[in-house]
mmCIF file of all heavy atoms in Angstrom:
data_model
loop_
_atom_site.group_PDB
_atom_site.id
_atom_site.type_symbol
_atom_site.label_atom_id
_atom_site.label_comp_id
_atom_site.label_asym_id
_atom_site.label_seq_id
_atom_site.Cartn_x
_atom_site.Cartn_y
_atom_site.Cartn_z
ATOM 1 N N LEU A 154 -49.126 14.418 89.871
ATOM 2 C CA LEU A 154 -48.846 14.962 88.550
ATOM 3 C C LEU A 154 -50.102 15.589 87.979
ATOM 4 O O LEU A 154 -51.216 15.236 88.368
ATOM 5 C CB LEU A 154 -48.369 13.848 87.616
ATOM 6 C CG LEU A 154 -47.104 13.098 88.018
ATOM 7 C CD1 LEU A 154 -46.851 11.939 87.055
ATOM 8 C CD2 LEU A 154 -45.904 14.035 88.041
ATOM 9 N N SER A 155 -49.920 16.473 87.025
ATOM 10 C CA SER A 155 -51.051 17.131 86.368
ATOM 11 C C SER A 155 -50.974 16.893 84.867
ATOM 12 O O SER A 155 -49.887 16.910 84.278
ATOM 13 C CB SER A 155 -51.030 18.634 86.648
ATOM 14 O OG SER A 155 -51.963 19.310 85.829
ATOM 15 N N LEU A 156 -52.134 16.667 84.256
ATOM 16 C CA LEU A 156 -52.161 16.526 82.801
ATOM 17 C C LEU A 156 -51.738 17.812 82.104
ATOM 18 O O LEU A 156 -51.363 17.801 80.939
ATOM 19 C CB LEU A 156 -53.561 16.129 82.328
ATOM 20 C CG LEU A 156 -53.900 14.639 82.375
ATOM 21 C CD1 LEU A 156 -55.342 14.428 81.931
ATOM 22 C CD2 LEU A 156 -52.956 13.826 81.492
ATOM 23 N N GLY A 157 -51.798 18.907 82.845
ATOM 24 C CA GLY A 157 -51.382 20.183 82.274
ATOM 25 C C GLY A 157 -49.886 20.374 82.252
ATOM 26 O O GLY A 157 -49.389 21.327 81.644
ATOM 27 N N ALA A 158 -49.131 19.469 82.886
ATOM 28 C CA ALA A 158 -47.677 19.577 82.898
ATOM 29 C C ALA A 158 -47.129 19.363 81.493
ATOM 30 O O ALA A 158 -47.719 18.647 80.673
ATOM 31 C CB ALA A 158 -47.081 18.562 83.863
ATOM 32 N N ALA A 159 -45.997 19.984 81.231
ATOM 33 C CA ALA A 159 -45.395 19.898 79.900
ATOM 34 C C ALA A 159 -45.156 18.450 79.487
ATOM 35 O O ALA A 159 -44.516 17.689 80.213
ATOM 36 C CB ALA A 159 -44.070 20.663 79.886
ATOM 37 N N GLY A 160 -45.677 18.080 78.334
ATOM 38 C CA GLY A 160 -45.441 16.758 77.783
ATOM 39 C C GLY A 160 -46.321 15.648 78.324
ATOM 40 O O GLY A 160 -46.282 14.519 77.814
ATOM 41 N N MET A 161 -47.142 15.932 79.346
ATOM 42 C CA MET A 161 -47.909 14.863 79.981
ATOM 43 C C MET A 161 -49.036 14.344 79.068
ATOM 44 O O MET A 161 -49.265 13.130 78.993
ATOM 45 C CB MET A 161 -48.481 15.338 81.307
ATOM 46 C CG MET A 161 -49.127 14.227 82.131
ATOM 47 S SD MET A 161 -47.968 12.885 82.531
ATOM 48 C CE MET A 161 -46.806 13.736 83.613
ATOM 49 N N VAL A 162 -49.728 15.239 78.401
ATOM 50 C CA VAL A 162 -50.792 14.795 77.498
ATOM 51 C C VAL A 162 -50.204 13.943 76.379
ATOM 52 O O VAL A 162 -50.742 12.879 76.026
ATOM 53 C CB VAL A 162 -51.549 16.007 76.909
ATOM 54 C CG1 VAL A 162 -52.479 15.558 75.791
ATOM 55 C CG2 VAL A 162 -52.351 16.710 77.993
ATOM 56 N N ARG A 163 -49.108 14.392 75.824
ATOM 57 C CA ARG A 163 -48.442 13.622 74.761
ATOM 58 C C ARG A 163 -48.054 12.244 75.257
ATOM 59 O O ARG A 163 -48.285 11.239 74.566
ATOM 60 C CB ARG A 163 -47.205 14.377 74.280
ATOM 61 C CG ARG A 163 -46.355 13.607 73.274
ATOM 62 C CD ARG A 163 -45.101 14.389 72.933
ATOM 63 N NE ARG A 163 -44.207 13.632 72.063
ATOM 64 C CZ ARG A 163 -43.013 14.078 71.670
ATOM 65 N NH1 ARG A 163 -42.580 15.284 72.067
ATOM 66 N NH2 ARG A 163 -42.244 13.329 70.891
ATOM 67 N N ALA A 164 -47.493 12.166 76.430
ATOM 68 C CA ALA A 164 -47.049 10.874 76.964
ATOM 69 C C ALA A 164 -48.221 9.924 77.184
ATOM 70 O O ALA A 164 -48.158 8.748 76.820
ATOM 71 C CB ALA A 164 -46.295 11.085 78.275
ATOM 72 N N THR A 165 -49.309 10.435 77.763
ATOM 73 C CA THR A 165 -50.436 9.559 78.074
ATOM 74 C C THR A 165 -51.234 9.163 76.832
ATOM 75 O O THR A 165 -51.879 8.116 76.817
ATOM 76 C CB THR A 165 -51.388 10.224 79.090
ATOM 77 O OG1 THR A 165 -51.830 11.498 78.580
ATOM 78 C CG2 THR A 165 -50.691 10.439 80.422
ATOM 79 N N LEU A 166 -51.190 9.977 75.798
ATOM 80 C CA LEU A 166 -51.925 9.664 74.583
ATOM 81 C C LEU A 166 -51.111 8.841 73.580
ATOM 82 O O LEU A 166 -51.675 8.322 72.613
ATOM 83 C CB LEU A 166 -52.402 10.949 73.895
ATOM 84 C CG LEU A 166 -53.501 11.740 74.605
ATOM 85 C CD1 LEU A 166 -53.872 12.976 73.800
ATOM 86 C CD2 LEU A 166 -54.739 10.873 74.833
ATOM 87 N N VAL A 167 -49.814 8.739 73.802
ATOM 88 C CA VAL A 167 -48.954 8.060 72.831
ATOM 89 C C VAL A 167 -48.326 6.789 73.378
ATOM 90 O O VAL A 167 -48.374 5.735 72.718
ATOM 91 C CB VAL A 167 -47.845 9.007 72.320
ATOM 92 C CG1 VAL A 167 -46.858 8.256 71.418
ATOM 93 C CG2 VAL A 167 -48.454 10.181 71.574
ATOM 94 N N TYR A 168 -47.752 6.835 74.566
ATOM 95 C CA TYR A 168 -46.887 5.742 75.006
ATOM 96 C C TYR A 168 -47.601 4.386 75.050
ATOM 97 O O TYR A 168 -47.211 3.442 74.355
ATOM 98 C CB TYR A 168 -46.286 6.065 76.370
ATOM 99 C CG TYR A 168 -45.338 4.994 76.857
ATOM 100 C CD1 TYR A 168 -44.268 4.594 76.072
ATOM 101 C CD2 TYR A 168 -45.521 4.381 78.090
ATOM 102 C CE1 TYR A 168 -43.399 3.605 76.502
ATOM 103 C CE2 TYR A 168 -44.654 3.397 78.523
ATOM 104 C CZ TYR A 168 -43.593 3.010 77.731
ATOM 105 O OH TYR A 168 -42.748 2.025 78.153
ATOM 106 N N ILE A 169 -48.648 4.269 75.856
ATOM 107 C CA ILE A 169 -49.367 2.993 75.956
ATOM 108 C C ILE A 169 -50.169 2.700 74.695
ATOM 109 O O ILE A 169 -50.083 1.586 74.142
ATOM 110 C CB ILE A 169 -50.272 2.958 77.199
ATOM 111 C CG1 ILE A 169 -49.422 3.056 78.476
ATOM 112 C CG2 ILE A 169 -51.103 1.681 77.224
ATOM 113 C CD1 ILE A 169 -48.433 1.927 78.653
ATOM 114 N N PRO A 170 -50.957 3.640 74.164
ATOM 115 C CA PRO A 170 -51.752 3.327 72.966
ATOM 116 C C PRO A 170 -50.905 2.921 71.766
ATOM 117 O O PRO A 170 -51.165 1.898 71.133
ATOM 118 C CB PRO A 170 -52.510 4.632 72.703
ATOM 119 C CG PRO A 170 -52.579 5.301 74.034
ATOM 120 C CD PRO A 170 -51.291 4.978 74.709
ATOM 121 N N VAL A 171 -49.895 3.712 71.437
ATOM 122 C CA VAL A 171 -49.069 3.399 70.265
ATOM 123 C C VAL A 171 -48.221 2.158 70.525
ATOM 124 O O VAL A 171 -48.064 1.299 69.652
ATOM 125 C CB VAL A 171 -48.193 4.607 69.871
ATOM 126 C CG1 VAL A 171 -47.229 4.223 68.749
ATOM 127 C CG2 VAL A 171 -49.063 5.771 69.432
ATOM 128 N N GLY A 172 -47.678 2.051 71.740
ATOM 129 C CA GLY A 172 -46.894 0.861 72.067
ATOM 130 C C GLY A 172 -47.735 -0.401 71.967
ATOM 131 O O GLY A 172 -47.282 -1.433 71.462
ATOM 132 N N MET A 173 -48.969 -0.327 72.432
ATOM 133 C CA MET A 173 -49.872 -1.474 72.362
ATOM 134 C C MET A 173 -50.202 -1.814 70.912
ATOM 135 O O MET A 173 -50.216 -2.994 70.520
ATOM 136 C CB MET A 173 -51.146 -1.158 73.146
ATOM 137 C CG MET A 173 -52.074 -2.347 73.356
ATOM 138 S SD MET A 173 -53.515 -1.914 74.390
ATOM 139 C CE MET A 173 -52.740 -1.810 76.015
ATOM 140 N N ALA A 174 -50.441 -0.795 70.097
ATOM 141 C CA ALA A 174 -50.782 -1.024 68.691
ATOM 142 C C ALA A 174 -49.599 -1.603 67.920
ATOM 143 O O ALA A 174 -49.757 -2.544 67.136
ATOM 144 C CB ALA A 174 -51.241 0.284 68.045
ATOM 145 N N VAL A 175 -48.420 -1.057 68.142
ATOM 146 C CA VAL A 175 -47.232 -1.535 67.426
ATOM 147 C C VAL A 175 -46.931 -2.984 67.782
ATOM 148 O O VAL A 175 -46.714 -3.828 66.902
ATOM 149 C CB VAL A 175 -46.014 -0.638 67.740
ATOM 150 C CG1 VAL A 175 -44.723 -1.281 67.232
ATOM 151 C CG2 VAL A 175 -46.189 0.734 67.114
ATOM 152 N N GLN A 176 -46.934 -3.295 69.071
ATOM 153 C CA GLN A 176 -46.622 -4.661 69.473
ATOM 154 C C GLN A 176 -47.699 -5.643 69.002
ATOM 155 O O GLN A 176 -47.397 -6.780 68.633
ATOM 156 C CB GLN A 176 -46.444 -4.757 70.987
ATOM 157 C CG GLN A 176 -45.787 -6.060 71.423
ATOM 158 C CD GLN A 176 -45.101 -5.939 72.771
ATOM 159 O OE1 GLN A 176 -44.753 -4.846 73.216
ATOM 160 N NE2 GLN A 176 -44.892 -7.061 73.430
ATOM 161 N N ALA A 177 -48.943 -5.201 68.980
ATOM 162 C CA ALA A 177 -50.029 -6.062 68.504
ATOM 163 C C ALA A 177 -49.863 -6.372 67.019
ATOM 164 O O ALA A 177 -49.985 -7.528 66.582
ATOM 165 C CB ALA A 177 -51.381 -5.406 68.752
ATOM 166 N N VAL A 178 -49.584 -5.355 66.212
ATOM 167 C CA VAL A 178 -49.433 -5.559 64.772
ATOM 168 C C VAL A 178 -48.216 -6.432 64.475
ATOM 169 O O VAL A 178 -48.282 -7.346 63.644
ATOM 170 C CB VAL A 178 -49.332 -4.207 64.042
ATOM 171 C CG1 VAL A 178 -48.940 -4.414 62.578
ATOM 172 C CG2 VAL A 178 -50.656 -3.453 64.122
ATOM 173 N N LEU A 179 -47.094 -6.177 65.146
ATOM 174 C CA LEU A 179 -45.896 -6.983 64.915
ATOM 175 C C LEU A 179 -46.131 -8.442 65.293
ATOM 176 O O LEU A 179 -45.707 -9.364 64.585
ATOM 177 C CB LEU A 179 -44.713 -6.420 65.712
ATOM 178 C CG LEU A 179 -44.245 -5.009 65.354
ATOM 179 C CD1 LEU A 179 -42.982 -4.662 66.141
ATOM 180 C CD2 LEU A 179 -43.983 -4.867 63.859
ATOM 181 N N THR A 180 -46.818 -8.667 66.407
ATOM 182 C CA THR A 180 -47.097 -10.040 66.837
ATOM 183 C C THR A 180 -48.050 -10.730 65.875
ATOM 184 O O THR A 180 -47.885 -11.917 65.561
ATOM 185 C CB THR A 180 -47.683 -10.046 68.259
ATOM 186 O OG1 THR A 180 -46.786 -9.357 69.151
ATOM 187 C CG2 THR A 180 -47.864 -11.475 68.764
ATOM 188 N N ALA A 181 -49.050 -10.001 65.397
ATOM 189 C CA ALA A 181 -49.986 -10.578 64.425
ATOM 190 C C ALA A 181 -49.255 -10.962 63.139
ATOM 191 O O ALA A 181 -49.505 -12.027 62.560
ATOM 192 C CB ALA A 181 -51.103 -9.587 64.123
ATOM 193 N N CYS A 182 -48.354 -10.107 62.685
ATOM 194 C CA CYS A 182 -47.581 -10.407 61.474
ATOM 195 C C CYS A 182 -46.698 -11.634 61.684
ATOM 196 O O CYS A 182 -46.604 -12.509 60.810
ATOM 197 C CB CYS A 182 -46.720 -9.210 61.088
ATOM 198 S SG CYS A 182 -47.648 -7.801 60.440
ATOM 199 N N ALA A 183 -46.051 -11.695 62.838
ATOM 200 C CA ALA A 183 -45.204 -12.850 63.134
ATOM 201 C C ALA A 183 -46.032 -14.131 63.200
ATOM 202 O O ALA A 183 -45.585 -15.199 62.767
ATOM 203 C CB ALA A 183 -44.457 -12.625 64.445
ATOM 204 N N ALA A 184 -47.246 -14.031 63.720
ATOM 205 C CA ALA A 184 -48.121 -15.201 63.804
ATOM 206 C C ALA A 184 -48.532 -15.686 62.420
ATOM 207 O O ALA A 184 -48.710 -16.882 62.191
ATOM 208 C CB ALA A 184 -49.362 -14.878 64.634
#
Side-chain angles (χ1 to χ4, degrees):
L154 300 174
S155 169
L156 276 178
M161 188 59 66
V162 170
R163 174 184 175 183
T165 56
L166 291 180
V167 174
Y168 182 55
I169 297 299
V171 174
M173 190 176 286
V175 169
Q176 194 156 338
V178 170
L179 297 186
T180 305
C182 289

